[in-house]
Amino acid sequence: MEKLIITQPDDWHLHVRTGAILKTVIPHTARQFSRAVIMPNLKSPVTTVAQAENYRQEIIQAIPKGLDFTPLMTLYLTDSTTTSEVEKAAESPHVYAFKLYPAGATTNSDSGVSKLDLIYHVLETMQEHDIPLLIHGEVTEAKYDIFDREKIFLDKVLAGIIKNFPELRIVFEHATTREAVQFVTEASEQLAATITPQHLMFNRNAILAGGIKPHYYCLPIIKRETHRQALIEAATGGNKKFFLGTDSAPHLQHLKENSCGCAGCYSAHAAIELYAEIFDRAEKLDKLEAFASFNGADFYRLPRNTDKIMIQKATWRIPDNYQVENNFLIPLRAGEDLTWRLMN
Ligand code: NCD
Ligand code: ZN
Ligand code: ZN
């Protein structure tokens, strides 16, 4: 049987929510990953170091006994984030980055930044303290087509941030377009990007062809096939600027299967296995370890993991759902066979 042994991976973009959902999803992530960057977009966002400390405690309580897992906390930028909060974050051993959500861009982004000028002094302090900026990169004005929002953000917003803060380390989160891949590739070493399994696996037909499929709806929305191919090339091409970030974003079934369904795909149940299948199909399994286990740690200037995991080529069926109290979570590829399996 075909086997792959790689250094234990990390997830550089993860949503775990709170309460019952958190208790369901943390074991899925902790079974595979050593560390994960925890996104701060709770209903009441994590905007201070004190809130991040509390949230971190809740996460730690949910880690199954015997598993070693470290949540890397982030803070949510708002119009009123202060430079003194940045200084506190710089001193905190648990906070690793700030996240920029343009107001209205995605799930729980209402308290995000409404005008970038308002936080320029904050970005300056982040640059001084060498704290990375993580970006949900989409313009939000209603006049822009939803399929163009990422591409337009690159020139209209990201280029300006880079010009003004050339030393600031930036992660362009969940890159979804050929243009984003090109932009990141051509930029300085300070700019990197995460890539999700759903954007590597699917094009927009998954959402819209043969009936509307809300479990494939996430933001930035999955694009057409040429973009998926560019993402595959980026992820499997050995460029250290690209690394694994699942953007696993759990929403309960009834909130996805809804006349106004939430944005987000849940993938933590099988994340490394989904990526293994993607890299196998591209005949680039030899590039999986750098993408999943080295590039992100190197960018964040954290030590690489030393434990190993084993993934086998073996078919298994993804469950139809996971129960969360009286509700369900529908995982990516629910009820379908996957060709790689994590052995542990
Ligand atoms: C994420 C969520 O649900 O929190 N949703 C998504 O579609 N990706 C938010 C985000 O990462 O933009
Ligand atoms: Zn996002
Ligand atoms: Zn996300």
Side-chain angles (χ1 to χ4, degrees), residues 14-32 55 58-59 61-64 67 69 248-253 266-270 319-331:
L14 178 69
H15 303 268
V16 298
R17 320 300 187 200
T18 59
I21 292 188
L22 179 143
K23 290 195 181 82
T24 302
V25 303
I26 286 289
H28 292 173
T29 288
R31 169 181 90 87
Q32 310 165 56
Y55 188 28
E58 187 185 356
I59 293 167
Q61 300 295 316
I63 302 170
L67 290 181
F69 172 72
S248 176
H251 292 275
L252 295 174
Q253 180 176 17
Y266 182 64
S267 61
H269 61 294
D320 292 334
N321 56 52
Y322 294 98
Q323 192 159 0
V324 180
E325 293 178 325
N326 297 323
N327 290 299
F328 293 99
L329 200 55
I330 309 297

Side-chain angles (χ1 to χ4, degrees), residues 13-15 39 41 99 101 136 174 219 247-249:
H13 183 136
L14 178 69
H15 303 268
M39 290 296 150
N41 63 329
K99 178 73 187 270
Y101 292 100
H136 179 109
H174 44 43
L219 290 171
D247 191 20
S248 176

Side-chain angles (χ1 to χ4, degrees), residues 247-309:
D247 191 20
S248 176
H251 292 275
L252 295 174
Q253 180 176 17
H254 66 281
L255 299 173
K256 293 283 297 171
E257 299 172 13
N258 187 296
S259 62
C260 185
C262 293
C265 298
Y266 182 64
S267 61
H269 61 294
I272 194 62
E273 293 135 326
L274 289 162
Y275 283 108
E277 189 174 288
I278 292 158
F279 277 65
D280 187 15
R281 276 197 210 139
E283 298 180 8
K284 291 285 172 60
L285 271 176
D286 59 317
K287 296 291 200 295
L288 180 63
E289 186 177 42
F291 177 78
S293 316
F294 297 158
N295 298 349
D298 294 353
F299 183 85
Y300 276 84
R301 301 188 186 145
L302 291 169
R304 292 178 180 184
N305 296 319
T306 49
D307 287 355
K308 304 278 179 195
I309 60 163

Side-chain angles (χ1 to χ4, degrees), residues 237-248:
N239 183 338
K240 64 202 286 342
K241 287 166 158 258
F242 297 101
F243 44 85
L244 184 158
T246 60
D247 191 20
S248 176

